Amino acid sequence: MKKILIINGPNLNLLGKREPTIYGNQTFEEYFDTLQTQFAEVELHYFQSNHEGALVDKIHEIGFTFQGIVINAGAYTHTSIALADALSAVTTPAIEVHISNVHAREAFRHHSYLSSRVKGVIVGLGLRGYELAVRALLEMSIVNSP
Ligand code: DQA
């Protein structure tokens, strides 16, 4: 079975409570349950951390064996060369997701250190972006063969 890991960075553990007008009312755990039902043919895993190094460690841990990564690095998107280097270091292809339209927000959210290291970016489509990213990884055959 193909293994895809969804990685959420800092403050995304508060989805559902955090600025609901921007990020919606649903917790990621609830959403993840529906994703797992939708993609029964895939082993979907989920990892969230507020710590940059823990996110780097996780990418190293699965980045040579899993077939795809969907990453929303939260604010580390705009600051982390370490996460960008981790995505370059591994062989598993990744797609970057942002729930909100970062380009319609503050200027500091317009630059991503990760975008040049991933296959594609999905921005501003809410939680649906994660589903589209998994679908793209599968349909475009950009996942590594198991
Ligand atoms: C975010 C956008 C980032 O700018 C912000 O720091 C987040 C969430 C998004 O999903 O829209 O934490 O990645």
Side-chain angles (χ1 to χ4, degrees):
M1 220 188 230
K2 283 179 175 149
K3 292 184 189 166
I4 293 179
L5 175 66
I6 297 177
I7 300 178
N8 272 342
N11 301 306
L12 292 165
N13 53 311
L14 295 183
L15 282 178
K17 285 189 213 154
R18 173 194 185 194
E19 300 178 272
T21 51
I22 299 175
Y23 298 111
N25 295 306
Q26 206 175 9
T27 68
F28 197 81
E29 287 71 16
E30 275 164 20
Y31 177 71
F32 186 65
D33 280 349
T34 59
L35 265 191
Q36 281 184 309
T37 322
Q38 238 174 320
F39 295 101
E41 77 282 15
V42 183
E43 206 177 293
L44 273 186
H45 294 248
Y46 174 53
F47 180 74
Q48 189 278 329
S49 178
N50 295 321
H51 305 276
E52 187 175 9
L55 297 167
V56 170
D57 285 345
K58 193 68 183 179
I59 292 169
H60 294 177
E61 183 191 317
I62 61 89
F64 296 91
T65 50
F66 276 39
Q67 282 72 48
I69 296 172
V70 175
I71 183 163
N72 181 350
Y76 291 143
T77 305
H78 318 299
T79 62
S80 181
I81 297 169
L83 274 177
D85 283 352
L87 288 172
S88 292
V90 300
T91 53
T92 302
I95 293 188
E96 176 182 349
V97 167
H98 297 286
I99 298 165
S100 64
N101 181 357
V102 285
H103 300 291
R105 300 180 65 192
E106 302 97 319
F108 65 83
R109 296 186 203 276
H110 298 179
H111 177 258
S112 164
Y113 280 101
L114 309 190
S115 296
S116 61
R117 317 296 174 96
V118 296
K119 296 284 181 188
V121 183
I122 298 173
V123 165
L125 302 182
L127 290 178
R128 181 101 202 280
Y130 293 89
E131 175 204 327
L132 295 171
V134 172
R135 205 173 286 291
L137 281 166
L138 296 172
E139 285 178 11
M140 295 165 68
S141 304
I142 53 181
V143 293
N144 289 340
S145 304

